């Protein structure tokens, strides 16, 4: 699904050049659950922006489903992103005075899905995260864990191939965090590719594979041998 070949990213400020990524190369196959982990300033956010097509590398190649993304216009990248990718953020990014249903429906407003079909798709996404009973509740009245589950439902309405989760448990207590990770785990079991970005070892260990980044370099890339079980953690 994803192949990076010697990706570098430079930020220029006057005569000063900061290299955020340094010749990064790796592949992510369809159906993987991968954690990208690194401390603040490691380059993981820059890497996320490139992987999710919000930014372009300075040098190197990024192939998505075998297509060279450098040949695509900004409009084509936006279309590819909206069609194939879903996003879950630490800050939820929900409209507090709008209902769960209205928040989850938002991505469909920019799609070709007919209005008559939207509600059924939205309710199915809400059901998948266990919030059918709160479909008409304003998001501002939900707990942090519930808000993140709404964000996951919103990420699912376009039926993306790939889900990016950027510090999805950062604002949650441990039990709510485990519940969110259990949902991501279940989505991966159903065939979704999940890329989790985090600075926490505990959260990273819910994935199957860990890519560690430091000072713009990949310092480790391997299978997680002692993977945490999200469902067991939630039950504790």
């Amino acid at each position: 699904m994803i192949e990076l070949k010697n990706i570098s990213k430079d930020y220029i400020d006057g005569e000063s050049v900061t290299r955020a990524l340094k010749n990064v190369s790796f592949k992510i196959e369809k159906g993987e659950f991968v954690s990208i982990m690194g401390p603040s300033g490691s380059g993981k956010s820059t890497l996320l922006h490139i992987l999710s097509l919000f930014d372009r590398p300075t040098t190197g190649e990024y192939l998505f489903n075998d297509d060279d993304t450098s040949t695509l216009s900004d409009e084509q990248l936006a279309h590819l992103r909206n069609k194939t990718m879903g996003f879950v953020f630490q800050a939820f990014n929900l409209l507090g005075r709008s209902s769960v249903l209205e928040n989850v429906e938002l991505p469909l407003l920019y799609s070709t899905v007919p209005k008559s079909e939207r509600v059924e798709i939205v309710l199915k996404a809400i059901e998948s995260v266990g919030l059918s009973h709160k479909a008409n509740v304003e998001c501002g009245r939900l707990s942090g864990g519930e808000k993140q589950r709404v964000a996951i439902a919103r990420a699912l309405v376009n039926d993306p191939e790939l889900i990016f989760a950027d510090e999805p448990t950062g604002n949650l207590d441990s039990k709510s965090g485990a519940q969110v990770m259990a949902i991501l785990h279940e989505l991966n079991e159903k065939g979704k590719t999940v890329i989790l970005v985090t600075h926490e070892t505990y959260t990273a260990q819910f994935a199957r594979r860990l890519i560690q980044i430091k000072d713009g370099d990949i310092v480790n890339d391997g299978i997680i041998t002692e993977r945490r079980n999200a469902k067991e953690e939630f039950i504790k």
Side-chain angles (χ1 to χ4, degrees):
M1 173 177 277
I2 285 173
E3 183 174 5
L4 301 188
K5 298 180 180 180
N6 299 314
I7 291 290
S8 294
K9 180 64 181 181
D10 297 337
Y11 293 104
I12 301 174
D13 183 10
E15 296 182 357
S16 176
V17 179
T18 301
R19 175 150 286 192
L21 295 176
K22 306 170 184 176
N23 298 315
V24 170
S25 298
F26 59 78
K27 294 180 181 180
I28 295 177
E29 303 293 340
K30 185 175 182 179
E32 282 199 83
F33 191 157
V34 180
S35 286
I36 297 175
M37 181 183 168
S40 178
S42 63
K44 67 181 185 297
S45 293
T46 299
L47 180 57
L48 171 64
H49 291 156
I50 289 173
L51 288 171
S52 57
L53 306 176
F54 282 108
D55 201 0
R56 296 177 186 264
T58 304
T59 60
E61 288 184 86
Y62 175 15
L63 304 180
F64 185 83
N65 286 336
D66 295 324
D67 291 328
D68 184 352
T69 59
S70 68
T71 66
L72 303 178
S73 67
D74 289 346
E75 184 178 351
Q76 288 172 319
L77 289 177
H79 176 74
L80 180 61
R81 183 170 56 246
N82 293 337
K83 182 180 179 182
T84 62
M85 300 177 183
F87 299 88
V88 182
F89 303 98
Q90 178 178 351
F92 316 134
N93 294 346
L94 302 175
L95 302 177
R97 294 185 178 181
S98 296
S99 69
V100 169
L101 191 150
E102 289 167 335
N103 271 275
V104 174
E105 185 184 19
L106 281 174
L108 295 180
L109 301 180
Y110 305 96
S111 73
T112 58
V113 177
K115 187 175 182 179
S116 59
E117 298 177 16
R118 288 179 194 164
V119 172
E120 182 179 353
I121 294 171
V122 170
L123 290 176
K124 185 176 179 180
I126 294 171
E127 181 183 7
S128 73
V129 298
L131 287 177
S132 295
H133 60 298
K134 295 200 173 182
N136 295 309
V137 175
E138 287 186 0
C139 283
R141 296 169 56 193
L142 302 178
S143 68
E146 289 170 336
K147 288 177 181 177
Q148 195 59 292
R149 286 153 63 191
V150 174
I152 293 173
R154 183 183 57 193
L156 294 176
V157 289
N158 281 333
D159 193 24
E161 300 175 46
L162 172 61
I163 296 172
F164 288 101
D166 185 11
E167 303 280 7
T169 63
N171 288 334
L172 306 179
D173 59 66
S174 58
K175 189 167 185 177
S176 295
Q179 186 174 22
V180 165
M181 293 310 302
I183 293 171
L184 292 175
H185 172 85
E186 184 176 352
L187 291 171
N188 177 246
E189 291 292 303
K190 292 179 178 178
K192 301 292 185 186
T193 305
V194 179
I195 298 179
L196 169 70
V197 177
T198 183
H199 68 280
E200 299 176 334
T201 301
Y202 173 83
T203 304
Q205 288 176 339
F206 286 107
R208 287 194 177 96
R209 174 183 168 195
L210 174 62
I211 296 173
Q212 291 177 287
I213 186 169
K214 182 178 180 181
D215 298 328
D217 287 315
I218 301 298
V219 295
N220 182 58
D221 182 355
I223 300 300
I224 298 174
T225 55
E226 296 183 9
R227 185 186 185 193
R228 291 188 180 275
N229 186 309
K231 293 181 179 179
E232 290 181 1
E233 294 287 333
F234 176 61
I235 292 171
K236 287 181 181 179

